[in-house]
Amino acid sequence: MPVPDRSSLSFADRTVDVAVVGAGIVGLAVARALSLRRPGLSIVVIDKESSISQHQTGRNSGVIHSGIYYAPGSLKARLCTQGAAALKQYCAERSIPTNICGKVIVATDASELPRLEELHRRAVANGAVGLELIGPNRLREIEPHAAGLRALHVRGTGIVDYGLVARGFADDVVAAGGEILLGYEV
Ligand SMILES: Cc1cc2nc3c(=O)[nH]c(=O)nc-3n(C[C@H](O)[C@H](O)[C@H](O)COP(=O)(O)OP(=O)(O)OC[C@H]3O[C@@H](n4cnc5c(N)ncnc54)[C@H](O)[C@@H]3O)c2cc1C
């Protein structure tokens, strides 16, 4: 497709192999993966904002999900588990700070206990790491502000600034010869 020429703010007579619309984490990850798999492909990522990650990517909760909620064997479950490991590795290689602080999923009354046990079963089946079903005393030690009958402690869950991850992906795209064009609405 024609690519907008930044200098003239008009569509110049340029073409690229792949134009990705949206410089959020998905667009940047796709562009990065393509540039790694197909060196030499000309790639441009186009975004309407003046900087990357201005929407969901820069405004989310920052959780590195461990794959505990999805149906065992599903593509979502496998991708979430593999993706969490790949993300942690990427952050370590690029010195992007992560905090693997863990999380607790709490059953506050008896009616929630079967769902908690089902989540534990799914988490084990999905290969999530650092799982433990804990009681109220241990829960209070881990998180004094939480109270409940039972909880699933997921030690492997953490947080990251996805804006920094997206910045790393954008740098990788540019280092591979791609372009990030900002301020162009498609
Ligand atoms: C409140 C909230 C909390 C979340 N918490 C988490 C979490 O803790 N952990 C987690 O893994 N996920 C979380 N998510 C999900 C995660 O943030 C999204 O799945 C992810 O950011 C989506 O990335 P994206 O690139 O598809 O979208 P976006 O980051 O929204 O990027 C889309 C981009 O496309 C651009 N664009 C749109 N239309 C055009 C156009 N016509 N022309 C040019 N550019 C255009 C936009 O400007 C934008 O930059 C959360 C989501 C929300 C809403």
Side-chain angles (χ1 to χ4, degrees), residues 21-28 46-49 51-65 162 184-186:
V21 181
I25 202 158
V26 172
L28 292 166
I46 302 170
D47 203 287
K48 62 183 166 62
E49 303 297 346
S51 58
I52 66 169
S53 305
Q54 287 300 297
H55 290 268
Q56 284 189 75
T57 299
R59 298 163 187 272
N60 66 24
S61 314
V63 177
I64 304 171
H65 290 289
Y162 281 106
Y184 295 102
E185 185 156 8
V186 175

Side-chain angles (χ1 to χ4, degrees), residues 64-129:
I64 304 171
H65 290 289
S66 333
I68 54 185
Y69 300 102
Y70 301 124
S74 66
L75 193 57
K76 275 187 177 177
R78 279 188 285 136
L79 289 178
C80 192
T81 313
Q82 289 168 14
L87 176 59
K88 287 175 190 168
Q89 189 185 335
Y90 182 82
C91 290
E93 286 166 9
R94 298 309 175 92
S95 303
I96 296 171
T98 55
N99 180 358
I100 309 303
C101 48
K103 76 169 174 183
V104 282
I105 304 167
V106 181
T108 54
D109 63 56
S111 71
E112 292 177 336
L113 290 173
R115 274 159 62 204
L116 190 72
E117 273 151 29
E118 171 59 14
L119 273 184
H120 182 233
R121 188 193 69 78
R122 284 186 174 210
V124 170
N126 289 341
V129 291

